[in-house]
Amino acid sequence: VRFMYRMTGYLRILWSDERFDSPLYNESCSREFIDVTALKSRLWTPDIYLTNSVKTTYRDESLQLAPGGQFFWTRNFNSEISCPMDLV
């Protein structure tokens, strides 16, 4: 028997990249976070997958860069997940 369930939520990931930890950036930055969502295709981002996911779609997302090279990535997702069970 194979059961399916749907899940909707926000995936939030935080990581640091020392290549973006520049004293020049830290001194000249007037805001705490800079929106770099438009540059996402040119930046490294982690590959995320959900175990037993049959179908996952992502909608709105935001990628922010903070002083010190810290990235904060938020993605809204819908996922259909398989839950195999042995009901014998």
Side-chain angles (χ1 to χ4, degrees):
V1 176
R2 184 167 268 229
F3 291 99
M4 304 285 281
Y5 63 95
R6 291 190 184 114
M7 181 170 47
T8 300
Y10 285 94
L11 180 62
R12 293 191 170 130
I13 304 168
L14 177 68
W15 74 91
S16 294
D17 189 333
E18 62 187 28
R19 295 173 293 181
F20 291 90
D21 185 11
S22 165
L24 179 62
Y25 168 77
N26 291 336
E27 291 172 8
S28 65
C29 183
S30 61
R31 295 179 358 197
E32 190 172 327
F33 284 92
I34 295 176
D35 186 358
V36 292
T37 306
L39 301 173
K40 181 183 163 282
S41 64
R42 300 183 66 190
L43 298 169
W44 178 87
T45 54
D47 292 329
I48 304 299
Y49 68 95
L50 299 171
T51 305
N52 294 340
S53 175
V54 174
K55 179 182 177 185
T56 300
T57 55
Y58 296 98
R59 293 188 313 231
D60 304 324
E61 69 179 340
S62 172
L63 182 60
Q64 307 287 320
L65 174 61
Q70 291 184 328
F71 284 89
F72 184 63
W73 190 19
T74 302
R75 298 178 86 181
N76 182 290
F77 73 93
N78 291 319
S79 188
E80 217 170 288
I81 299 178
S82 167
C83 183
M85 302 183 93
D86 185 6
L87 299 176
V88 178

